[in-house]
Structure formats: structure tokens, C-alpha cells
Amino acid sequence: MQKTSARLLALLSLLQMRRDWPGALLAERLEVSPRTVRRDVDRLRDLGYPIAAIKGPDGGYRLDAGSELPPLLFDDEQAVALAIALQIAATAGAGIEEAAARALTTVRQVMPARLRHRIDTLQVTAVERAGARPEPQVAGGVLVALSAAVHAREVLRFDYPSEADDGGALPPPRRVEPHHLVTWGGRWYLVAWDLDRADWRTFRADRIRPRTPTGPRFTPRELPGGGVAAFVTARFRGSDEAGDWPCRGEVILALPAAVVSRYVRDGLVEEAGPDRCRIVMGSWSWLGLAAALGRFDADIEVVGPAELRDAFAQLARRYTAASSS
């Protein structure tokens, strides 16, 4: 059995994970008796943690929020996770780098020496890709406003100037039913139902200028594609529903599958004989797909479709002209 102090820390960590905990489930997770759980709950109450008892057939406990809540405690895994999350906040594109650094300093100061040492030895450096343009930052207040509208299910109005706007007259404000706030490739996007265009849209959060107040509450619509991840993936692939690439083709490549599979992240690679493999891949365009397949230093046999074969022919003409220019 864990020592009392370690068990109290584990109990507090569990109570912070979800709203209500049946007493029997807590006892099972901590590998103690329900009586021990009751005693530990009383000890946490004596320390100032507002833990309410839940009535019912099984009984249970709830950690209530309050202005007098003592400082939160972290176990080793939570401390490491928090340190990593705050250190990589610079890659979030939310303009919170300075705030994250101050938060990490604050958390470090209230931790015991053992955990403080673990945090000090954990140094994470975010390195941008060479030649990559810096992603536009999103104000924290904008992210909070968007998240609040999503949570409250309230119609959101906002100005949405284009990158080409030079400060002139803005177009009419957009009216949307906000559904999800997501990150993709270092940028923040709002997934919403556009009321004026009667269609789903993804809006770049760095260009959104929220207006107040928000509009009436709405009943959420069902997002196409089966979920927000599938929907966003489909939209950025240029597909509206299925989520697949708009162009998908199949070739036989004169290389072993074990070699090719290391470099194909989104596709199918199968053995097709000695030192040969079958590849099924997708892309934005047929020319893009042909170029991606051409990066392998091997002979290529096009299985289909005809559009992919034509794309290879078009690239061949361009490369021939480039070699003789």
C-alpha cells in the first residue's frame, strides 16, 4: 500500500480528473478499501480542500471549486507534462510565449525540490523548419472569445478582412454558428456553419475580429465526415465529404516495399514481387501526385487512372524542355 502522503496526492489527482467519482471506483483505482478512501477524504478536507459527498446508491465524492482552494498538487508525471506543455507553447501560434514562461516560473516556485529539479533538467527547444515563414499569431483574447462562443453555442459575428485588404472599407461582418476551435499546421482555425452562405467554413483565427454582443443560441448541426478531425482533414485535402484526396492513383515502383514505406506517410505500400512494390497515393492534383512519385529513383509503371498517366507525360515534356533550354 502507498504511504499516506503519496495516497493523498493520488486521490487528489483523481478528483481533479473528473467531476464525480463513485467511492467504490476510487477505492479500486487506489487499491485500498472504501473505508480508507473515506479517511483520506477527511484528511484532504482538513487540509482545506472542499470535497463534497454525493448521495446515491453508490455514493461518491466531488472536488468543488472555491476561492479558498489550496494550491494544486502535482505528481511526477503531471509535473513533467506541465513543463513540456508550457515549454512548447511557443509553437502554438497563440502569442502566449511570455505568459507561458511566467507560468512555468510560478509553477516551479511552489514545487518541492525533487520535482523542481526534474523540471530544471527538462529543456525543450522548438526549432522552425528552414525557410519556413513565421505563422501569424492569434491574440489570446480572440481565442478565449471564440472558445466561449463555441461552448455557449451562440451565434458569432466577426469582421474577417482578407490578407489583401489595405485598411479600406471592410466587407459586411460574417455570421456563423461556431462549432470547433482547432489547430492545423501551426495555425488556429474556427470551424463554423456560415449562416449567410448556408455551408460549412473554416476561418483563420488570426484574421477574425469578434464583434459583441454574440447572437442567439443555436442547436448544433451534425458536422460532415464523422468528426472534426475528419472534417478538417478533408477540407485541407480539397474534399468536402469523403475526406480522401481529390486525386488518387496507383503505380508499380521498382524498389522494395521496405525501402519505399519509410517515405510514404499517407498511402498504401505493398510487395509486388522481387524488388518491386505497389503504391497507392493521393494528392491535390495529378501533376502533384506524379511529381511526388517521381522523387523515387526507380522505374515507374502506371496502373491507373489515365489522368495520372497524362500527368507523367506532361511532366516529361516540361523536364525535356528544361534540360535542353
Side-chain angles (χ1 to χ4, degrees), residues 6 13 46 60 80 120 125 128 136 147 164 170 174 181 232 240 244 246 276 285 302-303 307 309 311 318-319 323:
S13 178
D46 292 339
V80 172
D120 290 343
T125 302
E128 298 291 338
S147 298
L170 292 174
R174 309 296 285 266
L181 187 63
V232 173
D240 291 334
D244 199 0
R276 286 163 57 86
S285 66
V302 178
V303 177
E307 290 85 352
R309 194 171 288 106
R318 287 183 179 177
Y319 292 157
S323 67

Side-chain angles (χ1 to χ4, degrees), residues 20-164:
D20 297 331
W21 275 96
L25 183 56
L26 280 175
E28 179 183 344
R29 293 289 295 270
L30 295 171
E31 299 181 349
V32 297
S33 66
R35 181 180 179 184
T36 300
V37 172
R38 289 194 295 270
R39 289 203 305 263
D40 288 347
V41 167
D42 289 338
R43 291 189 179 99
L44 289 176
R45 287 169 176 163
D46 292 339
L47 292 173
Y49 289 91
I51 302 176
I54 303 172
K55 297 180 179 180
D58 299 327
Y61 303 95
R62 174 189 303 158
L63 179 62
D64 289 337
S67 59
E68 300 301 323
L69 184 66
L72 297 180
L73 301 178
F74 297 96
D75 58 29
D76 288 22
E77 292 182 351
Q78 290 174 320
V80 172
L82 183 61
I84 292 175
L86 290 174
Q87 289 192 49
I88 65 175
T91 64
I96 57 173
E97 296 87 348
E98 181 181 350
R102 288 189 283 108
L104 182 59
T105 300
T106 301
V107 170
R108 180 188 177 279
Q109 290 174 347
V110 299
M111 294 219 171
R114 175 177 54 81
L115 291 182
R116 191 182 309 129
H117 176 70
R118 293 196 67 181
I119 290 179
D120 290 343
T121 59
L122 180 62
Q123 298 295 327
V124 180
T125 302
V127 179
E128 298 291 338
R129 296 192 310 270
R133 294 185 305 171
E135 297 293 349
Q137 297 291 299
V138 185
V142 172
L143 294 179
V144 171
L146 299 182
S147 298
V150 170
H151 179 75
R153 298 177 179 175
E154 294 177 342
V155 172
L156 185 66
R157 298 183 308 122
F158 57 85
D159 295 316
Y160 195 64
S162 67
E163 294 180 302

